[in-house]
Amino acid sequence: MSEPTRAVGYIGLGNMGAPMATRLLERPGRLIVCDARPEAVEPFTTAGAEAVATPAAVADHASVISVTVLDDAQVRDVVTGPDGILSTARPGTVIAVHSTIGDATATELATTCRAKGVDLIDAPVSGGAPGAQQGRLAVMVGGSDEAFEAVREPFGYFAELVIHAGPVGAGTRMKLARNLLHFVSFTAACEAQRLAEAAGIDIRKLGKVVRHTDAITGGAGAIMLRDTTAPVADDDPWFSILSHVRNLGEKDLALALDLGERFDVDLPLGTRALAGLGTGLGVGTGPVADRAAHQKENA
């Protein structure tokens, strides 16, 4: 079977997975989709994709399988669980994990898969849902040369940039480095707003200036939309948005700090960002930061 027509599978049709898989509907060849929610699958079957009930069933049909689920535990279940991909995958199958997980999880799962002749690559993405919708994501691939070549063609439907970061684990390390910058900059923006507010500056106008230049250079102005740095009330529409940002930030910062510790790289602003991101955003610390603070107190 030629590369452009080989069947591709997609598991996890959430905020990122759905727009990425939607781009694959434009691709020649079969698209096999799987999600626990029938309402997530329905638009894809209407558009011509084939839906199956389990990751194992995806592997029955597809030789390249993208996975976009929530966290390490869900990735493990999708790959090695009772109805997981490995239970039916044929040798030569490539599993691409787009979720941001620990690099150690990626390398461990890749070793397990390799014993069955299956390649698992870590392939986290950058660019968010808008980038996926536009087909402009950046994908950072950790895996063998052969596996990278197998995914370049299908990834090209949702990504403008597909980078071979190195061996398995390197894609996640690159994503963590990129997201360290991303989430540390959010914390710095909160600090800048506090300084400007104390100095009598209209922080909405400051936000306009930052967003103007960030539209040219990129930056942290995307969160500078509120008219105060005061804590956000639970019933404020901003609360769910900023809590989501906090949860993503704390998860990725904790992963990046773990990576820095293992490679003996001091990340003081990363440490500060993990402790202060939620409070700076006005929604309080999340479970990851609370757990880190508790561990520090008991160290």
Side-chain angles (χ1 to χ4, degrees):
M1 182 180 296
S2 65
E3 290 293 321
T5 56
R6 68 192 303 178
V8 169
Y10 211 108
I11 300 170
L13 304 172
N15 290 338
M16 281 300 297
M20 290 169 69
T22 297
R23 299 289 303 188
L24 289 169
L25 289 167
E26 302 174 8
R27 178 182 174 274
R30 299 165 68 196
L31 175 62
I32 318 298
V33 296
C34 178
D35 193 282
R37 301 161 300 143
E39 68 273 16
V41 172
E42 192 275 333
F44 291 91
T45 55
T46 299
E50 303 169 45
V52 294
T54 65
V58 175
D60 276 334
H61 303 285
S63 56
V64 171
I65 304 169
S66 283
V67 177
T68 307
V69 292
L70 182 61
D71 53 23
D72 296 52
Q74 288 191 5
V75 169
R76 288 180 187 279
D77 187 57
V78 164
V79 176
T80 64
D83 291 316
I85 295 169
L86 274 190
S87 65
T88 58
R90 297 175 296 278
T93 299
V94 178
I95 305 168
V97 178
H98 300 299
S99 312
T100 302
I101 58 174
D103 63 316
T105 300
T107 55
E108 176 192 331
L109 287 174
T111 299
T112 301
C113 290
R114 200 172 297 120
K116 295 196 172 185
V118 173
D119 269 314
L120 182 140
I121 64 174
D122 54 321
V125 302
S126 186
Q133 292 162 0
Q134 299 164 25
R136 299 186 62 198
L137 290 175
V139 186
M140 297 150 277
V141 177
S144 67
D145 291 341
E146 294 77 14
F148 178 70
E149 288 304 318
V151 300
R152 287 178 67 183
E153 179 269 325
F155 284 9
Y157 283 84
F158 52 72
E160 196 169 57
L161 179 66
V162 182
I163 291 288
H164 191 186
V168 176
T172 298
R173 293 170 194 143
M174 183 178 285
K175 172 67 181 287
L176 294 179
R178 191 268 173 272
N179 276 15
L180 176 68
L181 172 63
H182 186 68
F183 290 110
V184 166
S185 73
F186 275 19
T187 307
C190 296
E191 186 168 293
Q193 288 185 113
R194 289 195 298 273
L195 174 64
E197 187 174 49
I201 301 297
D202 184 328
I203 62 175
R204 289 173 296 183
K205 290 182 179 178
L206 173 62
K208 286 182 180 180
V209 172
V210 174
R211 288 191 299 277
H212 175 81
T213 51
D214 281 355
I216 303 167
T217 64
I223 67 162
M224 302 178 74
L225 297 170
R226 296 175 63 223
D227 61 0
T228 178
T229 61
V232 184
D234 291 1
D235 59 352
D236 189 313
W238 278 108
F239 190 86
S240 62
I241 297 170
L242 295 176
S243 295
H244 178 65
V245 171
R246 176 203 64 197
N247 291 343
L248 287 176
E250 288 187 355
K251 175 174 71 73
D252 288 351
L253 286 165
L255 288 168
L257 289 169
D258 177 68
L259 187 65
E261 183 174 299
R262 285 192 286 113
F263 284 88
D264 198 27
V265 178
D266 190 26
L267 301 171
L269 190 53
T271 301
R272 176 67 186 87
L274 176 58
L277 177 60
T279 301
L281 291 170
V283 293
T285 55
V288 176
D290 287 340
R291 186 162 57 249
H294 179 73
Q295 290 170 345
K296 185 177 180 180
E297 289 173 0
N298 292 297

